[in-house]
Amino acid sequence: MAEAVLIDLFGLELNPQENCNQTLLKTLNAVRCHDAGRAQYFCIICCSNISCEWDSERDNCELETSNEFSAFLSDFEIVSNPSMAASLYMIKQKIDEKNLSSIKVIVPVHRKKLMKAFIDQLFTEVYSFEFEDLQVKNGLLKQSTEINMITAPELEKIQDEIETYLRSLPALNGKLTIITSPLIPDIFIHGFTTRTGGISYIPTLSSCNLFSSSKRRDPKTVVQENLRRLANTAGFHAEKFYRVKTDHGSEVWIMGKKEPEFYDGITTNQRGVTIAALGADCIPIVFADPVKKACGVAHSGWKGTLLGVAMATVNAMTSEYGCSLEDIIVVLGPSVGPCCFTLPRESASAFHNLHPTCVRLFDSPHPYIDIRKATRILLEQGGILPENIQDQNQDLNLCTSCHPEKFFSCVRDGLNFGTQIGFISLRE
């Protein structure tokens, strides 16, 4: 059974010849009784306050409030807004506050496809939905034509309504902040994001989460709005933005060539194109060659570090764009530190073999690992000049797990963690 029940009365057309209040009250009471066993949240969604009498010009009967009806409605959350996007987003916030995921939507049959289209944009696969036709007896509902499909223009209109509403929301937890490195010259736009200044409201995703997946509650529309705000602040085009498709490996996509199914590195020499590596304990790394005017990014977790994703990205730049090792600048973004990151001893031994200083308490069952130090060692072994590697100073070397006010962290927050990024582009 559903944990939350949503009853759609949005734009409900009622038959003015019938007793609206009593008939609808019976319908709502039947819904409440049927789902009372498990449901923790009942909600009615409507486009205006339940207070007006029937408007004969609009042929649309709205509910006038009697004492009996008002008392009954106290068991329901009433969400009233002219915008369907705003109404559903408010309801989603309530559902997320209660950590619910199983939702029943009771909707007039002619609005079912429309409701599903909005839900597809605002919810992720974390949630499960069941749909039930709104059954109202005694001819209360006027007959309406069922919508069998949403056309492309209608879907675009829905997306526009959602985007407009999300753009109106205030930034949460402070202003959007970008960490930059003085090593990278101004011909590049680059930076590393923190967790502030976006609109994501779920505690572990709040507020500038920049990645959506089937396992998280942040939909793509919210992440895209966070990205739009980042792009406006940093000065790049959100329409020309590409993230790594992580597999915790060492595959690198050289833009302009065939795109692999998964890759943890990207390189490009195209102006105006922004590339980004994800990070939430793993290291987001940016690479810049101001001589050949090429750049790259890499997502380096502990597996990718050992597989050599950082040097794989460097090698792609040297082979594709003719970059010289002495010209490539590498900046390591914020990541989990050796204070918080452990591995089983069998996995830790590979880091110990690379260099003993990469591991603390090696004789323990779960030694502490310094993936940043391991990355620097591998870069230097590969020919990158030590002075062209920045992994300290400013906020770059802060442990993501130790600083919840600044960064997202999978180690700290569990599976529903948010994501920050490292990004770079060659200015147009």
Side-chain angles (χ1 to χ4, degrees):
M1 292 182 66
E3 299 170 323
V5 178
L6 166 60
I7 305 168
D8 175 31
L9 303 184
F10 195 95
L12 181 67
E13 290 195 354
L14 303 171
N15 193 330
Q17 279 72 44
E18 302 295 333
N19 185 337
C20 296
N21 279 17
Q22 290 301 318
T23 307
L24 190 55
L25 188 151
K26 291 179 181 178
T27 300
L28 296 176
N29 188 52
V31 170
R32 183 183 61 176
C33 292
H34 182 268
D35 293 285
R38 184 183 177 194
Q40 303 173 41
Y41 178 66
F42 289 89
C43 177
I44 296 173
I45 180 173
C46 53
C47 63
S48 59
N49 290 328
I50 302 180
S51 59
C52 303
E53 296 182 355
W54 172 62
D55 185 336
S56 59
E57 292 183 2
R58 292 187 296 120
D59 202 27
N60 191 16
C61 180
E62 296 182 357
L63 303 173
E64 60 181 55
T65 52
S66 65
N67 290 337
E68 179 185 8
F69 198 68
S70 296
F72 176 80
L73 289 178
S74 65
D75 294 336
F76 290 79
E77 176 98 22
I78 308 295
V79 176
S80 176
N81 194 294
S83 164
M84 186 68 171
S87 296
L88 278 175
Y89 195 75
M90 294 174 192
I91 291 167
K92 182 179 183 298
Q93 287 179 298
K94 296 289 185 179
I95 289 171
D96 289 334
E97 285 175 10
K98 299 176 182 293
N99 198 32
L100 309 179
S101 58
S102 177
I103 305 161
K104 177 189 284 188
V105 181
I106 303 175
V107 57
V109 65
H110 69 280
R111 282 178 50 82
K112 187 181 294 185
K113 296 291 186 183
L114 182 69
M115 177 65 78
K116 286 183 176 180
F118 271 97
I119 285 172
D120 286 345
Q121 296 290 315
L122 289 169
F123 291 80
T124 70
E125 289 89 336
V126 167
Y127 309 85
S128 62
F129 287 89
E130 59 177 302
F131 292 85
E132 184 177 298
D133 294 344
L134 179 62
Q135 303 288 345
V136 184
K137 298 180 180 179
N138 302 327
L140 177 62
L141 278 178
K142 294 186 67 178
Q143 293 298 313
S144 299
T145 303
E146 181 177 357
I147 301 174
N148 292 319
M149 64 175 293
I150 300 294
T151 64
E154 288 170 336
L155 180 58
E156 185 176 347
K157 186 177 179 181
I158 290 169
Q159 292 170 337
D160 287 345
E161 180 182 334
I162 292 172
E163 288 173 9
T164 299
Y165 173 69
L166 295 180
R167 288 186 182 194
S168 73
L169 297 177
L172 302 176
N173 299 338
K175 67 178 183 178
L176 199 149
T177 304
I178 301 171
I179 305 168
T180 59
S181 167
L183 286 185
I184 297 182
D186 196 46
I187 62 169
F188 298 96
I189 297 172
H190 83 284
F192 300 91
T193 62
T194 67
R195 68 180 301 168
T196 61
I199 62 169
S200 303
Y201 58 80
I202 294 168
T204 57
L205 303 177
S206 179
S207 64
C208 195
N209 172 43
L210 290 166
F211 185 68
S212 177
S213 77
S214 60
K215 298 178 181 179
R216 303 185 192 181
R217 289 177 177 255
D218 245 3
K220 291 181 180 179
T221 50
V222 168
V223 170
Q224 191 62 30
E225 173 57 18
N226 289 339
L227 176 62
R228 186 193 69 83
R229 297 184 184 204
L230 170 62
N232 286 348
T233 301
F236 64 79
H237 300 294
E239 301 80 16
K240 298 179 180 179
F241 177 85
Y242 299 87
R243 300 177 183 88
V244 295
K245 295 182 179 178
T246 62
D247 192 34
H248 295 277
S250 59
E251 187 78 32
V252 178
W253 177 34
I254 299 171
M255 291 195 72
K257 295 190 174 182
K258 183 179 179 181
E259 181 181 359
E261 182 179 3
F262 298 103
Y263 46 92
D264 285 79
I266 311 175
T267 65
T268 186
N269 62 353
Q270 299 177 31
R271 292 185 179 273
V273 172
T274 302
I275 54 179
L278 312 177
D281 295 331
C282 297
I283 314 171
I285 310 175
V286 300
F287 305 77
D289 181 351
V291 177
K292 293 298 184 179
K293 297 180 175 57
C295 56
V297 295
H299 160 266
S300 186
W302 73 268
K303 292 180 181 179
T305 298
L306 293 175
L307 289 171
V309 67
M311 277 308 301
T313 307
V314 168
N315 293 336
M317 294 175 67
T318 58
S319 63
E320 187 67 20
Y321 314 121
C323 298
S324 298
L325 289 173
E326 61 267 22
D327 295 327
I328 296 176
I329 299 164
V330 185
V331 182
L332 279 59
S335 68
V336 68
C339 48
C340 296
F341 183 58
T342 64
L343 285 174
R345 192 175 177 194
E346 312 84 73
S347 301
S349 62
F351 286 92
H352 192 268
N353 292 338
L354 175 62
H355 200 282
T357 59
C358 294
V359 183
R360 298 179 184 177
L361 303 178
F362 181 62
D363 292 332
S364 68
H366 290 84
Y368 289 82
I369 308 300
D370 192 336
I371 57 174
R372 299 178 70 81
K373 182 170 288 186
T375 300
R376 171 178 273 277
I377 290 171
L378 289 168
L379 286 167
E380 291 182 7
Q381 287 178 352
I384 300 296
L385 300 179
E387 61 268 27
N388 283 350
I389 304 171
Q390 182 173 4
D391 56 355
Q392 302 295 323
N393 302 328
Q394 300 181 5
D395 288 341
L396 290 175
N397 64 326
L398 292 178
C399 172
T400 46
S401 181
C402 287
H403 292 84
E405 76 288 354
K406 287 183 178 290
F407 303 115
F408 299 113
S409 169
C410 176
V411 168
R412 183 189 64 236
D413 296 332
L415 292 179
N416 198 36
F417 60 93
T419 299
Q420 51 257 342
I421 63 169
F423 64 90
I424 190 167
S425 64
L426 183 62
R427 291 187 188 272
E428 291 180 300

